[in-house]
Amino acid sequence: MSEKQEAKGKPAALNLALHYATGEIIGVFDADSVPEKNVLKKVASYLNDKKIMAVQGTTTSINEKK
């Protein structure tokens, strides 16, 4: 990307945030998503397996019809 082009939006925000993240696990949720109550515990159980580097799930959107 040239100096004249500036990255914007969610991907740019996530890339910037990675410089400041200090945890071993990084979770990303959209503001209009409603994850299950125990989603973090469920994801953490998958990440105990050293062969698994990422987990992607599905969520229900608050404004699903719009």
Side-chain angles (χ1 to χ4, degrees):
M1 185 173 301
S2 73
E3 289 181 31
K4 293 181 181 181
Q5 294 175 324
E6 185 176 320
K8 296 181 180 177
K10 183 177 177 178
L14 291 172
N15 285 329
L16 177 63
L18 286 174
H19 293 287
Y20 299 97
T22 58
E24 292 181 40
I25 298 172
I26 299 170
V28 178
F29 296 91
D30 287 337
D32 63 348
S33 295
V34 182
E36 289 182 31
K37 183 177 179 180
N38 294 321
V39 69
L40 297 178
K41 288 182 181 180
K42 290 178 181 179
V43 168
S45 68
Y46 286 104
L47 295 174
N48 283 330
D49 183 340
K50 299 297 181 193
K51 296 178 196 169
I52 296 177
M53 300 299 293
V55 176
Q56 180 176 345
T58 57
T59 58
T60 302
S61 182
I62 293 172
N63 57 3
E64 184 177 355
K65 303 290 183 194
K66 294 181 181 180

Short mmCIF file of all heavy atoms in Angstrom, two decimals:
data_model
loop_
_atom_site.label_atom_id
_atom_site.label_comp_id
_atom_site.label_asym_id
_atom_site.label_seq_id
_atom_site.Cartn_x
_atom_site.Cartn_y
_atom_site.Cartn_z
N MET A 1 0.85 -1.17 0.00
CA MET A 1 0.00 0.00 0.00
C MET A 1 0.90 1.23 0.00
O MET A 1 1.82 1.34 0.79
CB MET A 1 -0.90 -0.02 1.23
CG MET A 1 -1.89 1.07 1.28
SD MET A 1 -3.07 0.91 2.64
CE MET A 1 -3.80 -0.66 2.27
N SER A 2 0.62 2.18 -0.88
CA SER A 2 1.45 3.38 -0.97
C SER A 2 1.18 4.31 0.21
O SER A 2 0.19 4.16 0.92
CB SER A 2 1.19 4.10 -2.28
OG SER A 2 -0.06 4.74 -2.25
N GLU A 3 2.07 5.30 0.37
CA GLU A 3 1.90 6.26 1.46
C GLU A 3 0.64 7.08 1.28
O GLU A 3 0.03 7.53 2.24
CB GLU A 3 3.11 7.17 1.54
CG GLU A 3 4.35 6.46 2.04
CD GLU A 3 5.53 7.40 2.14
OE1 GLU A 3 5.32 8.60 2.38
OE2 GLU A 3 6.66 6.94 1.96
N LYS A 4 0.21 7.30 0.03
CA LYS A 4 -0.98 8.09 -0.24
C LYS A 4 -2.26 7.33 0.10
O LYS A 4 -3.27 7.92 0.41
CB LYS A 4 -1.03 8.52 -1.70
CG LYS A 4 0.06 9.50 -2.07
CD LYS A 4 -0.03 9.92 -3.51
CE LYS A 4 1.08 10.87 -3.86
NZ LYS A 4 1.00 11.30 -5.26
N GLN A 5 -2.20 6.00 0.05
CA GLN A 5 -3.35 5.18 0.40
C GLN A 5 -3.32 4.87 1.88
O GLN A 5 -2.29 4.45 2.40
CB GLN A 5 -3.35 3.87 -0.38
CG GLN A 5 -3.54 4.01 -1.86
CD GLN A 5 -3.40 2.67 -2.54
OE1 GLN A 5 -2.60 1.84 -2.14
NE2 GLN A 5 -4.20 2.46 -3.57
N GLU A 6 -4.42 5.11 2.55
CA GLU A 6 -4.48 4.81 3.97
C GLU A 6 -5.55 3.75 4.20
O GLU A 6 -6.67 3.88 3.75
CB GLU A 6 -4.84 6.08 4.75
CG GLU A 6 -4.80 5.87 6.24
CD GLU A 6 -5.07 7.16 6.99
OE1 GLU A 6 -4.58 8.21 6.58
OE2 GLU A 6 -5.80 7.10 7.99
N ALA A 7 -5.16 2.68 4.86
CA ALA A 7 -6.11 1.60 5.16
C ALA A 7 -7.15 2.12 6.14
O ALA A 7 -6.84 2.85 7.07
CB ALA A 7 -5.38 0.41 5.74
N LYS A 8 -8.40 1.71 5.89
CA LYS A 8 -9.48 2.16 6.76
C LYS A 8 -10.38 0.98 7.08
O LYS A 8 -10.30 -0.07 6.46
CB LYS A 8 -10.30 3.24 6.07
CG LYS A 8 -9.52 4.51 5.81
CD LYS A 8 -10.37 5.55 5.16
CE LYS A 8 -9.56 6.81 4.91
NZ LYS A 8 -10.32 7.82 4.22
N GLY A 9 -11.25 1.18 8.06
CA GLY A 9 -12.24 0.17 8.38
C GLY A 9 -11.75 -0.87 9.36
O GLY A 9 -10.70 -0.74 10.00
N LYS A 10 -12.55 -1.93 9.45
CA LYS A 10 -12.29 -2.99 10.42
C LYS A 10 -10.93 -3.68 10.23
O LYS A 10 -10.21 -3.88 11.21
CB LYS A 10 -13.42 -4.01 10.36
CG LYS A 10 -13.31 -5.12 11.38
CD LYS A 10 -14.50 -6.04 11.29
CE LYS A 10 -14.39 -7.19 12.25
NZ LYS A 10 -15.57 -8.06 12.18
N PRO A 11 -10.55 -4.05 8.99
CA PRO A 11 -9.24 -4.70 8.84
C PRO A 11 -8.09 -3.84 9.34
O PRO A 11 -7.18 -4.33 10.01
CB PRO A 11 -9.13 -4.95 7.33
CG PRO A 11 -10.54 -4.99 6.86
CD PRO A 11 -11.27 -4.01 7.72
N ALA A 12 -8.12 -2.55 9.05
CA ALA A 12 -7.06 -1.65 9.51
C ALA A 12 -7.06 -1.54 11.03
O ALA A 12 -6.00 -1.54 11.66
CB ALA A 12 -7.23 -0.27 8.88
N ALA A 13 -8.24 -1.47 11.61
CA ALA A 13 -8.35 -1.38 13.07
C ALA A 13 -7.82 -2.65 13.74
O ALA A 13 -7.12 -2.57 14.76
CB ALA A 13 -9.80 -1.14 13.48
N LEU A 14 -8.12 -3.81 13.16
CA LEU A 14 -7.63 -5.06 13.72
C LEU A 14 -6.11 -5.16 13.62
O LEU A 14 -5.44 -5.58 14.56
CB LEU A 14 -8.28 -6.25 13.03
CG LEU A 14 -9.77 -6.44 13.30
CD1 LEU A 14 -10.34 -7.54 12.41
CD2 LEU A 14 -10.02 -6.76 14.76
N ASN A 15 -5.56 -4.77 12.48
CA ASN A 15 -4.10 -4.80 12.33
C ASN A 15 -3.42 -3.87 13.33
O ASN A 15 -2.38 -4.22 13.89
CB ASN A 15 -3.71 -4.43 10.90
CG ASN A 15 -3.97 -5.56 9.94
OD1 ASN A 15 -3.89 -6.73 10.29
ND2 ASN A 15 -4.28 -5.21 8.70
N LEU A 16 -3.99 -2.71 13.55
CA LEU A 16 -3.44 -1.77 14.53
C LEU A 16 -3.54 -2.35 15.94
O LEU A 16 -2.59 -2.30 16.73
CB LEU A 16 -4.17 -0.44 14.46
CG LEU A 16 -3.74 0.62 15.48
CD1 LEU A 16 -2.27 1.01 15.26
CD2 LEU A 16 -4.63 1.84 15.38
N ALA A 17 -4.68 -2.94 16.26
CA ALA A 17 -4.90 -3.49 17.61
C ALA A 17 -3.93 -4.62 17.92
O ALA A 17 -3.54 -4.80 19.08
CB ALA A 17 -6.33 -3.98 17.73
N LEU A 18 -3.53 -5.38 16.91
CA LEU A 18 -2.60 -6.49 17.15
C LEU A 18 -1.27 -6.03 17.75
O LEU A 18 -0.62 -6.77 18.47
CB LEU A 18 -2.35 -7.27 15.86
CG LEU A 18 -3.49 -8.16 15.41
CD1 LEU A 18 -3.18 -8.77 14.04
CD2 LEU A 18 -3.76 -9.26 16.42
N HIS A 19 -0.88 -4.79 17.46
CA HIS A 19 0.37 -4.25 18.03
C HIS A 19 0.26 -4.05 19.53
O HIS A 19 1.26 -4.02 20.24
CB HIS A 19 0.73 -2.92 17.36
CG HIS A 19 1.10 -3.05 15.93
ND1 HIS A 19 2.29 -3.59 15.51
CD2 HIS A 19 0.41 -2.73 14.81
CE1 HIS A 19 2.34 -3.60 14.21
NE2 HIS A 19 1.20 -3.08 13.74
N TYR A 20 -0.96 -3.91 20.04
CA TYR A 20 -1.18 -3.63 21.45
C TYR A 20 -1.69 -4.83 22.24
O TYR A 20 -1.72 -4.79 23.46
CB TYR A 20 -2.17 -2.47 21.61
CG TYR A 20 -1.67 -1.20 20.99
CD1 TYR A 20 -2.08 -0.82 19.71
CD2 TYR A 20 -0.77 -0.38 21.65
CE1 TYR A 20 -1.60 0.35 19.12
CE2 TYR A 20 -0.30 0.78 21.08
CZ TYR A 20 -0.72 1.14 19.81
OH TYR A 20 -0.25 2.29 19.25
N ALA A 21 -2.10 -5.87 21.54
CA ALA A 21 -2.65 -7.05 22.21
C ALA A 21 -1.55 -7.76 22.99
O ALA A 21 -0.44 -7.95 22.49
CB ALA A 21 -3.27 -7.99 21.18
N THR A 22 -1.87 -8.18 24.21
CA THR A 22 -0.86 -8.84 25.04
C THR A 22 -1.25 -10.26 25.42
O THR A 22 -0.44 -10.99 25.98
CB THR A 22 -0.63 -8.03 26.33
OG1 THR A 22 -1.86 -7.90 27.03
CG2 THR A 22 -0.07 -6.65 26.02
N GLY A 23 -2.46 -10.65 25.13
CA GLY A 23 -2.92 -11.98 25.51
C GLY A 23 -2.50 -13.06 24.53
O GLY A 23 -2.01 -12.78 23.44
N GLU A 24 -2.69 -14.29 24.92
CA GLU A 24 -2.38 -15.42 24.05
C GLU A 24 -3.51 -15.69 23.06
O GLU A 24 -3.29 -16.27 22.01
CB GLU A 24 -2.15 -16.68 24.89
CG GLU A 24 -0.90 -16.61 25.74
CD GLU A 24 -0.70 -17.90 26.53
OE1 GLU A 24 -0.95 -18.98 25.97
OE2 GLU A 24 -0.30 -17.79 27.69
N ILE A 25 -4.72 -15.29 23.42
CA ILE A 25 -5.89 -15.51 22.57
C ILE A 25 -6.53 -14.16 22.26
O ILE A 25 -6.71 -13.33 23.15
CB ILE A 25 -6.93 -16.41 23.28
CG1 ILE A 25 -6.32 -17.78 23.57
CG2 ILE A 25 -8.19 -16.55 22.43
CD1 ILE A 25 -7.21 -18.67 24.42
N ILE A 26 -6.85 -13.94 20.99
CA ILE A 26 -7.50 -12.70 20.57
C ILE A 26 -8.85 -13.06 19.99
O ILE A 26 -8.95 -13.89 19.09
CB ILE A 26 -6.64 -11.96 19.51
CG1 ILE A 26 -5.29 -11.59 20.12
CG2 ILE A 26 -7.38 -10.73 18.99
CD1 ILE A 26 -4.29 -11.07 19.12
N GLY A 27 -9.90 -12.46 20.51
CA GLY A 27 -11.26 -12.69 20.02
C GLY A 27 -11.78 -11.46 19.31
O GLY A 27 -11.55 -10.34 19.74
N VAL A 28 -12.46 -11.68 18.20
CA VAL A 28 -13.02 -10.57 17.42
C VAL A 28 -14.51 -10.84 17.20
O VAL A 28 -14.87 -11.89 16.67
CB VAL A 28 -12.30 -10.42 16.06
CG1 VAL A 28 -12.92 -9.30 15.25
CG2 VAL A 28 -10.82 -10.20 16.25
N PHE A 29 -15.33 -9.90 17.61
CA PHE A 29 -16.77 -10.00 17.43
C PHE A 29 -17.27 -8.72 16.77
O PHE A 29 -16.79 -7.63 17.10
CB PHE A 29 -17.48 -10.16 18.79
CG PHE A 29 -17.14 -11.42 19.51
CD1 PHE A 29 -16.08 -11.47 20.40
CD2 PHE A 29 -17.88 -12.57 19.30
CE1 PHE A 29 -15.76 -12.63 21.07
CE2 PHE A 29 -17.57 -13.74 19.96
CZ PHE A 29 -16.51 -13.78 20.85
N ASP A 30 -18.23 -8.83 15.88
CA ASP A 30 -18.88 -7.64 15.33
C ASP A 30 -19.82 -7.07 16.39
O ASP A 30 -20.37 -7.80 17.20
CB ASP A 30 -19.68 -8.00 14.08
CG ASP A 30 -18.79 -8.30 12.88
OD1 ASP A 30 -17.64 -7.83 12.87
OD2 ASP A 30 -19.25 -8.98 11.96
N ALA A 31 -20.02 -5.77 16.35
CA ALA A 31 -20.86 -5.10 17.34
C ALA A 31 -22.31 -5.58 17.30
O ALA A 31 -23.00 -5.52 18.30
CB ALA A 31 -20.80 -3.59 17.15
N ASP A 32 -22.76 -6.06 16.15
CA ASP A 32 -24.15 -6.50 16.04
C ASP A 32 -24.32 -8.00 16.19
O ASP A 32 -25.37 -8.55 15.89
CB ASP A 32 -24.76 -6.03 14.72
CG ASP A 32 -24.07 -6.62 13.50
OD1 ASP A 32 -22.99 -7.22 13.66
OD2 ASP A 32 -24.61 -6.49 12.40
N SER A 33 -23.30 -8.68 16.66
CA SER A 33 -23.36 -10.13 16.85
C SER A 33 -23.73 -10.47 18.28
O SER A 33 -23.39 -9.74 19.21
CB SER A 33 -22.02 -10.78 16.52
OG SER A 33 -21.74 -10.61 15.16
N VAL A 34 -24.42 -11.59 18.44
CA VAL A 34 -24.81 -12.07 19.77
C VAL A 34 -24.23 -13.47 19.95
O VAL A 34 -24.83 -14.46 19.55
CB VAL A 34 -26.35 -12.11 19.91
CG1 VAL A 34 -26.74 -12.56 21.31
CG2 VAL A 34 -26.97 -10.77 19.57
N PRO A 35 -23.03 -13.56 20.53
CA PRO A 35 -22.44 -14.89 20.73
C PRO A 35 -23.16 -15.66 21.84
O PRO A 35 -23.82 -15.06 22.70
CB PRO A 35 -20.99 -14.58 21.13
CG PRO A 35 -21.01 -13.18 21.60
CD PRO A 35 -22.17 -12.49 20.97
N GLU A 36 -23.01 -16.97 21.81
CA GLU A 36 -23.57 -17.80 22.88
C GLU A 36 -22.95 -17.42 24.21
O GLU A 36 -21.83 -16.92 24.28
CB GLU A 36 -23.28 -19.28 22.61
CG GLU A 36 -24.05 -19.87 21.46
CD GLU A 36 -23.74 -21.35 21.30
OE1 GLU A 36 -23.45 -22.02 22.31
OE2 GLU A 36 -23.78 -21.82 20.15
N LYS A 37 -23.67 -17.71 25.27
CA LYS A 37 -23.24 -17.32 26.62
C LYS A 37 -21.83 -17.82 26.96
O LYS A 37 -21.02 -17.08 27.49
CB LYS A 37 -24.25 -17.84 27.64
CG LYS A 37 -23.96 -17.43 29.05
CD LYS A 37 -25.02 -17.93 30.01
CE LYS A 37 -24.70 -17.54 31.43
NZ LYS A 37 -25.72 -18.00 32.36
N ASN A 38 -21.52 -19.06 26.68
CA ASN A 38 -20.23 -19.64 27.07
C ASN A 38 -19.26 -19.78 25.90
O ASN A 38 -18.39 -20.65 25.91
CB ASN A 38 -20.45 -21.00 27.70
CG ASN A 38 -21.20 -20.89 29.00
OD1 ASN A 38 -20.95 -19.98 29.78
ND2 ASN A 38 -22.12 -21.80 29.25
N VAL A 39 -19.37 -18.90 24.91
CA VAL A 39 -18.57 -19.05 23.70
C VAL A 39 -17.06 -19.01 23.98
O VAL A 39 -16.30 -19.76 23.38
CB VAL A 39 -18.96 -18.01 22.62
CG1 VAL A 39 -18.57 -16.62 23.03
CG2 VAL A 39 -18.37 -18.38 21.29
N LEU A 40 -16.62 -18.17 24.89
CA LEU A 40 -15.17 -18.08 25.15
C LEU A 40 -14.63 -19.35 25.79
O LEU A 40 -13.53 -19.80 25.46
CB LEU A 40 -14.87 -16.86 26.02
CG LEU A 40 -15.22 -15.51 25.39
CD1 LEU A 40 -14.91 -14.38 26.35
CD2 LEU A 40 -14.49 -15.33 24.08
N LYS A 41 -15.40 -19.97 26.68
CA LYS A 41 -14.98 -21.24 27.27
C LYS A 41 -14.92 -22.34 26.22
O LYS A 41 -14.01 -23.16 26.21
CB LYS A 41 -15.92 -21.64 28.40
CG LYS A 41 -15.77 -20.80 29.64
CD LYS A 41 -16.70 -21.28 30.74
CE LYS A 41 -16.55 -20.42 31.98
NZ LYS A 41 -17.42 -20.85 33.06
N LYS A 42 -15.91 -22.35 25.32
CA LYS A 42 -15.93 -23.35 24.26
C LYS A 42 -14.73 -23.20 23.32
O LYS A 42 -14.08 -24.17 22.97
CB LYS A 42 -17.23 -23.27 23.47
CG LYS A 42 -18.45 -23.72 24.24
CD LYS A 42 -19.70 -23.57 23.41
CE LYS A 42 -20.93 -23.99 24.19
NZ LYS A 42 -22.16 -23.85 23.41
N VAL A 43 -14.45 -21.96 22.93
CA VAL A 43 -13.31 -21.71 22.04
C VAL A 43 -12.00 -22.07 22.72
O VAL A 43 -11.12 -22.69 22.11
CB VAL A 43 -13.31 -20.23 21.59
CG1 VAL A 43 -12.00 -19.87 20.90
CG2 VAL A 43 -14.48 -19.97 20.67
N ALA A 44 -11.85 -21.71 23.97
CA ALA A 44 -10.62 -22.01 24.71
C ALA A 44 -10.35 -23.51 24.75
O ALA A 44 -9.20 -23.94 24.67
CB ALA A 44 -10.69 -21.43 26.11
N SER A 45 -11.40 -24.31 24.84
CA SER A 45 -11.20 -25.76 24.88
C SER A 45 -10.61 -26.27 23.57
O SER A 45 -9.78 -27.17 23.57
CB SER A 45 -12.51 -26.49 25.21
OG SER A 45 -13.43 -26.37 24.15
N TYR A 46 -11.00 -25.69 22.45
CA TYR A 46 -10.41 -26.08 21.16
C TYR A 46 -8.94 -25.67 21.08
O TYR A 46 -8.10 -26.38 20.54
CB TYR A 46 -11.16 -25.44 19.99
CG TYR A 46 -12.49 -26.05 19.70
CD1 TYR A 46 -13.66 -25.41 20.07
CD2 TYR A 46 -12.59 -27.27 19.04
CE1 TYR A 46 -14.90 -25.96 19.80
CE2 TYR A 46 -13.83 -27.83 18.76
CZ TYR A 46 -14.98 -27.17 19.15
OH TYR A 46 -16.19 -27.73 18.87
N LEU A 47 -8.64 -24.50 21.63
CA LEU A 47 -7.28 -23.97 21.52
C LEU A 47 -6.29 -24.66 22.46
O LEU A 47 -5.09 -24.39 22.39
CB LEU A 47 -7.28 -22.46 21.75
CG LEU A 47 -8.04 -21.67 20.67
CD1 LEU A 47 -8.11 -20.20 21.04
CD2 LEU A 47 -7.38 -21.84 19.31
N ASN A 48 -6.76 -25.55 23.31
CA ASN A 48 -5.85 -26.36 24.11
C ASN A 48 -5.07 -27.34 23.24
O ASN A 48 -4.02 -27.82 23.62
CB ASN A 48 -6.60 -27.13 25.19
CG ASN A 48 -6.98 -26.23 26.36
OD1 ASN A 48 -6.28 -25.27 26.66
ND2 ASN A 48 -8.08 -26.54 27.00
N ASP A 49 -5.61 -27.64 22.05
CA ASP A 49 -4.94 -28.52 21.09
C ASP A 49 -3.92 -27.69 20.33
O ASP A 49 -4.27 -26.76 19.60
CB ASP A 49 -5.98 -29.11 20.13
CG ASP A 49 -5.39 -30.09 19.14
OD1 ASP A 49 -4.16 -30.07 18.90
OD2 ASP A 49 -6.18 -30.88 18.58
N LYS A 50 -2.63 -27.97 20.48
CA LYS A 50 -1.56 -27.18 19.88
C LYS A 50 -1.58 -27.21 18.35
O LYS A 50 -0.95 -26.38 17.71
CB LYS A 50 -0.19 -27.67 20.38
CG LYS A 50 -0.01 -27.54 21.88
CD LYS A 50 -0.05 -26.10 22.31
CE LYS A 50 0.15 -26.00 23.81
NZ LYS A 50 -0.16 -24.70 24.33
N LYS A 51 -2.33 -28.12 17.76
CA LYS A 51 -2.43 -28.18 16.30
C LYS A 51 -3.43 -27.16 15.76
O LYS A 51 -3.42 -26.85 14.58
CB LYS A 51 -2.87 -29.58 15.86
CG LYS A 51 -1.88 -30.67 16.19
CD LYS A 51 -2.44 -32.01 15.76
CE LYS A 51 -1.67 -33.13 16.43
NZ LYS A 51 -2.36 -34.41 16.24
N ILE A 52 -4.28 -26.63 16.63
CA ILE A 52 -5.31 -25.67 16.22
C ILE A 52 -4.80 -24.26 16.49
O ILE A 52 -4.46 -23.91 17.61
CB ILE A 52 -6.63 -25.93 16.96
CG1 ILE A 52 -7.17 -27.31 16.58
CG2 ILE A 52 -7.65 -24.83 16.66
CD1 ILE A 52 -8.43 -27.72 17.30
N MET A 53 -4.78 -23.44 15.43
CA MET A 53 -4.28 -22.07 15.56
C MET A 53 -5.39 -21.02 15.54
O MET A 53 -5.19 -19.88 15.92
CB MET A 53 -3.30 -21.77 14.41
CG MET A 53 -2.09 -22.69 14.41
SD MET A 53 -1.09 -22.58 15.89
CE MET A 53 -0.44 -20.95 15.74
N ALA A 54 -6.57 -21.40 15.04
CA ALA A 54 -7.67 -20.45 14.96
C ALA A 54 -8.99 -21.20 15.01
O ALA A 54 -9.06 -22.37 14.64
CB ALA A 54 -7.59 -19.66 13.66
N VAL A 55 -10.02 -20.51 15.47
CA VAL A 55 -11.36 -21.06 15.53
C VAL A 55 -12.30 -19.99 14.98
O VAL A 55 -12.20 -18.82 15.37
CB VAL A 55 -11.78 -21.42 16.97
CG1 VAL A 55 -13.21 -21.91 17.02
CG2 VAL A 55 -10.83 -22.45 17.56
N GLN A 56 -13.18 -20.38 14.08
CA GLN A 56 -14.17 -19.45 13.55
C GLN A 56 -15.54 -20.05 13.76
O GLN A 56 -15.77 -21.22 13.48
CB GLN A 56 -13.93 -19.20 12.07
CG GLN A 56 -14.93 -18.24 11.47
CD GLN A 56 -14.61 -17.92 10.02
OE1 GLN A 56 -13.53 -18.20 9.53
NE2 GLN A 56 -15.57 -17.34 9.34
N GLY A 57 -16.44 -19.25 14.26
CA GLY A 57 -17.80 -19.74 14.51
C GLY A 57 -18.84 -18.91 13.80
O GLY A 57 -18.51 -18.01 13.04
N THR A 58 -20.07 -19.22 14.09
CA THR A 58 -21.18 -18.43 13.55
C THR A 58 -21.90 -17.75 14.71
O THR A 58 -21.86 -18.23 15.84
CB THR A 58 -22.18 -19.32 12.79
OG1 THR A 58 -22.66 -20.33 13.68
CG2 THR A 58 -21.53 -19.97 11.59
N THR A 59 -22.51 -16.62 14.41
CA THR A 59 -23.24 -15.88 15.43
C THR A 59 -24.60 -15.49 14.89
O THR A 59 -24.86 -15.56 13.70
CB THR A 59 -22.50 -14.60 15.86
OG1 THR A 59 -22.31 -13.79 14.70
CG2 THR A 59 -21.17 -14.90 16.50
N THR A 60 -25.46 -15.04 15.77
CA THR A 60 -26.75 -14.49 15.39
C THR A 60 -26.62 -12.98 15.42
O THR A 60 -26.12 -12.42 16.38
CB THR A 60 -27.84 -14.94 16.38
OG1 THR A 60 -27.87 -16.36 16.40
CG2 THR A 60 -29.19 -14.40 15.99
N SER A 61 -27.05 -12.33 14.37
CA SER A 61 -26.95 -10.88 14.26
C SER A 61 -28.19 -10.22 14.85
O SER A 61 -29.32 -10.68 14.65
CB SER A 61 -26.80 -10.50 12.79
OG SER A 61 -26.67 -9.10 12.68
N ILE A 62 -27.99 -9.12 15.56
CA ILE A 62 -29.08 -8.37 16.15
C ILE A 62 -30.00 -7.81 15.05
O ILE A 62 -31.20 -7.86 15.14
CB ILE A 62 -28.55 -7.20 17.02
CG1 ILE A 62 -27.84 -7.75 18.24
CG2 ILE A 62 -29.68 -6.27 17.44
CD1 ILE A 62 -27.10 -6.71 19.06
N ASN A 63 -29.40 -7.30 13.98
CA ASN A 63 -30.17 -6.70 12.90
C ASN A 63 -30.17 -7.61 11.67
O ASN A 63 -29.98 -7.15 10.55
CB ASN A 63 -29.65 -5.32 12.56
CG ASN A 63 -28.18 -5.34 12.19
OD1 ASN A 63 -27.55 -6.38 12.11
ND2 ASN A 63 -27.62 -4.17 11.92
N GLU A 64 -30.42 -8.86 11.88
CA GLU A 64 -30.34 -9.88 10.83
C GLU A 64 -31.22 -9.56 9.63
O GLU A 64 -30.85 -9.85 8.50
CB GLU A 64 -30.73 -11.23 11.42
CG GLU A 64 -30.61 -12.39 10.47
CD GLU A 64 -30.94 -13.70 11.14
OE1 GLU A 64 -31.17 -13.73 12.37
OE2 GLU A 64 -30.96 -14.70 10.43
N LYS A 65 -32.37 -8.96 9.82
CA LYS A 65 -33.32 -8.68 8.73
C LYS A 65 -32.98 -7.39 7.96
O LYS A 65 -33.61 -7.10 6.96
CB LYS A 65 -34.75 -8.59 9.26
CG LYS A 65 -35.19 -9.83 10.01
CD LYS A 65 -35.37 -11.00 9.08
CE LYS A 65 -35.89 -12.19 9.86
NZ LYS A 65 -35.83 -13.43 9.17
N LYS A 66 -32.02 -6.62 8.42
CA LYS A 66 -31.68 -5.34 7.77
C LYS A 66 -30.42 -5.45 6.95
O LYS A 66 -29.56 -6.19 7.23
CB LYS A 66 -31.52 -4.24 8.81
CG LYS A 66 -32.81 -3.93 9.51
CD LYS A 66 -32.61 -2.84 10.51
CE LYS A 66 -33.91 -2.56 11.24
NZ LYS A 66 -33.79 -1.52 12.21
#
